[in-house]
Amino acid sequence: MNDITIRIAGANGDGIDSSGDLIAKVFLNVGLNVFAYRSYQSIIRGGHVWHQVRISQNELHGPGEKINILVALNQDSIDLQSAHMAEGGSVIYDGSKSNVDALKDRGLNLVNLPMLDIVLKNGGDPLLKNVVAIGAIMKMTGIDIGVFSDIIKSKFGKKGEMIVNNNINSAKAGYDDPAVKNIMELKGDGKKRYMMDGNTALSIGAFASGCRFYAAYPMTPASGILHWFAAHQKLGVVVKQTEDEIAAINMTIGAASAGARSMCGTSGGGFSLMVEALGLSGMLEVPIVVVDSQRGGPSTGLPTKTEQGDLLFVSHASQGEFPRIVVSPRNIKESLYVGAEAHNLAEKYQCPVIILMDLYISEHAESINTFELEGIKVDRGKIATKSDGRFKRYEITTDGISPRSFPGTPGLEFIAPSDEHDEYGNLVTDFNAGIDKYVGIRRQMHEKRMRKIDTMLKEEKGVFVPDVSNADAEYFFVTFGSTTESVMEAVELLSPSGKKFGIISFKYLMPLDVEKTKALLSGKKLIDVEYNFTAQLAYLIKANTCIDISHRILKYDGEAFTGREIADKALELVSKW
Amino acid sequence: MTDAQYRSGEKPVWCPGCGDYGVSAAIMKALGELNIPKNDIMVVTGIGCSSAISGQFSTYGIHGIHGRLLPIATGVKLANPKLTVIGAGGDGDGYGIGAAHFIHAARRNIDLTYIVMDNEIYGLTTGQASPTSLIGMKTKSTPFGVTENPINPLSLAISAGATYVARGFSGDPNHLSMLIKNGITHKGFALIDIMSPCVTFNHDNTYDWLRKRIYKLEDQQHDPSDMAKAFEKATEFDRDGSKMPLGLFYKTSKPLYEELDPVIMEGPVVGRSPPTTAEVEAVLKEYM
């Protein structure tokens, strides 16, 4: 067996997350690919939560479907999770706490592990129950128990010998318990891999590109970025938790105006509050990066569940017209590069860049073989060094980009105004509104800003077009952002079907190189796949290219897309084509 | 240096007789006396008649959006604490739409000078009630009189943690200039609330009305280090509408935000080079 899924389920407060991380780490450390995904609730104690780790020798693109090994820490976990068991799967439970009578005739491997009993013999910390289960999992999958000891020593070494020993002894007791039998051999390649979630990758990428300021108000699922920067601020990043998202984006604009690469992050609700200042960034031509990690909407919606429902919102948010870039990383590795690229694009084109994440990519963790850091270059765009006479901050240029200056530099002072202005930054409103000369300046200045879109399309070759895989396929999935990974998995699952499927995936969504995008989409059999009700990507494509994608696979219940469900629906659509 | 170098020379937008002329003159005078290089000054304003004061400056500046000048100014200061950052706006901007930022900027005790031109009316939108309009005031939006109690920016600032709280009068630019100058040199969040009459839309709180009520705290040996006395003076007009003290109500010394932040204390983040590949690799190693 070369692809298994392990799920640990219990209540909030049972340490499910840290146990999930430990399980993933065990398999990562022997050189296997892992994909970790969790389901949680907006409550701190009680309820029902689970963490799932899929393990394979091959690269993974999804969280797995059926559970091969379930660790059920309470009765709820047996009752609620048994429907998701794979045929012949194993259920690890504690017979002194839970009843598995309902599972008896299903051909499952029921492992009655006295977790509580073992814990009481090893210091009594109830969270050690999970560690007993991890020991059992290692025995069942043929992993040397020494792997766990190494992880615990490096993770808890600082907490003292007793804690380390209690953990190691608990895991060993689980490993050696007579109820636990080896059922498979999972062999890794011994290679070292990274494991991180999308928020972490994005944060590291932004840091690598020289981001020196991050502001946010806590909001799931973007809080991980705030936590990352807070934990790493001593690397030289000013981190500010603000009174609200309005303050977060306005501080970001202030810090960027002072000359620091600056970013803020939130989810859709917080982005709603940021909208006015997004336009300020467009008007002042101050480069900022804004992360919207989407969750189920509208309103507070599904706080702990995923969605891609903000695409059209972020693409058009704020009054008036101004250039902006919208980019949606398609996997965790790409999130790191996007975190870096976004700052270059913002500063080169002096406009806001919105990174569109979602809960799924922000919060699930994956193993990653390597990162190519050499590709990360820093380009701060045009910066003025001197001026003959009064500095023209908003100089009308052919490419629309006016060199900027930073406060502190003598001779390049200017006032950046939110009102329409001339090349110096003087208002063309107030006294000048409606006067012919200033009407003309407004026209020129608006055209200057909007011209930056043409410039970026010209200069950033191949960036603002979707990627195509399996170019000779008969059918093409059209998708964007994190859904791309689920679609990749679907394409793998569809390969025995005899129909050939390809993928057209969008990373950059705004601006779009309309001619090239149209050429790529034209004449193909297209199936739009996205995580929302209204097919927002299809809408954007139609608005730009007049191509209507009427075959659609849409989901909006908050649970992760699986490759299987996309594959099944695709075959159904194809059968009626 | 003279104050002329800080002036852009642009024609102000204000009505003849507007209090904001006096405020502009007082800020320029304070800057001239302090002799700060103009390239090290960042003036951040919001939206409203008074926020148009940004156009008067030849320094660096941002004329932002309504109510958000304090977060913008805070961002500037956090990125480059070497700059002298001055926020300037009106009562609607700071005590209405931006009230949350006002409280949080005060409690942060970041080294900003916040100048509020308080005319107790919305001028730019042609005369609606403001958060400092007095009960009963008839405006376009309150034809039967204001029914909400006015915000008291002074007592609010003191309770929120501001470390320099003063009130000036635009009809007395020399006194006002002294308050602003001391606010700029004060290490911490300084509020200078300025009674700055709107001659067009506020016919209640006129220069004459104010002159009948104002007196100077320094003439009464007020001790600005005494918080209880500061509250007493800050609320005097609320209790007795016939007296309005001007001057420095409260001043104290608290650690600056910039001194407590583990990154800023090591110097500005602007101008730092991006991390090296080795530094990024070291971070990545945590995830292996």
Side-chain angles (χ1 to χ4, degrees), chain A residues 506-518:
Chain A
F506 288 74
K507 173 184 170 192
Y508 283 88
L509 295 137
M510 192 170 253
L512 280 182
D513 186 326
V514 172
E515 290 314 312
K516 287 196 178 123
T517 304
K518 196 171 177 174

Side-chain angles (χ1 to χ4, degrees), chain A residues 471-489:
Chain A
D472 60 341
E474 189 184 356
Y475 301 92
F476 286 87
F477 291 111
V478 179
T479 190
F480 76 101
S482 72
T483 301
T484 307
E485 272 208 300
S486 315
V487 170
M488 283 170 75
E489 190 172 30

Side-chain angles (χ1 to χ4, degrees), chain A residues 347-420:
Chain A
E347 291 202 321
K348 274 174 87 174
Y349 302 104
Q350 300 180 22
C351 69
V353 176
I354 298 153
I355 303 179
L356 197 57
M357 303 282 280
D358 53 51
L359 183 135
Y360 180 68
I361 192 166
S362 278
E363 296 199 337
H364 88 255
E366 265 178 57
S367 53
I368 292 153
N369 290 328
T370 54
F371 286 104
E372 290 81 34
L373 298 178
E374 315 78 58
I376 297 178
K377 302 270 188 274
V378 174
D379 184 347
R380 301 212 58 183
K382 290 189 197 171
I383 295 169
T385 51
K386 62 180 176 52
S387 173
D388 299 324
R390 190 177 165 199
F391 177 50
K392 288 183 175 174
R393 165 64 183 94
Y394 298 104
E395 189 179 2
I396 307 274
T397 54
T398 47
D399 62 5
I401 303 164
S402 321
R404 62 201 178 110
S405 69
F406 303 130
T409 320
L412 299 177
E413 297 86 357
F414 69 99
I415 307 287
S418 60
D419 269 28
E420 187 60 281

Side-chain angles (χ1 to χ4, degrees), chain A residues 289-310:
Chain A
V289 177
V290 184
V291 184
D292 173 9
S293 181
Q294 305 158 96
R295 62 194 214 185
S299 193
T300 312
L302 299 172
T304 63
K305 296 292 172 188
T306 201
E307 194 166 280
Q308 292 180 303
D310 297 353

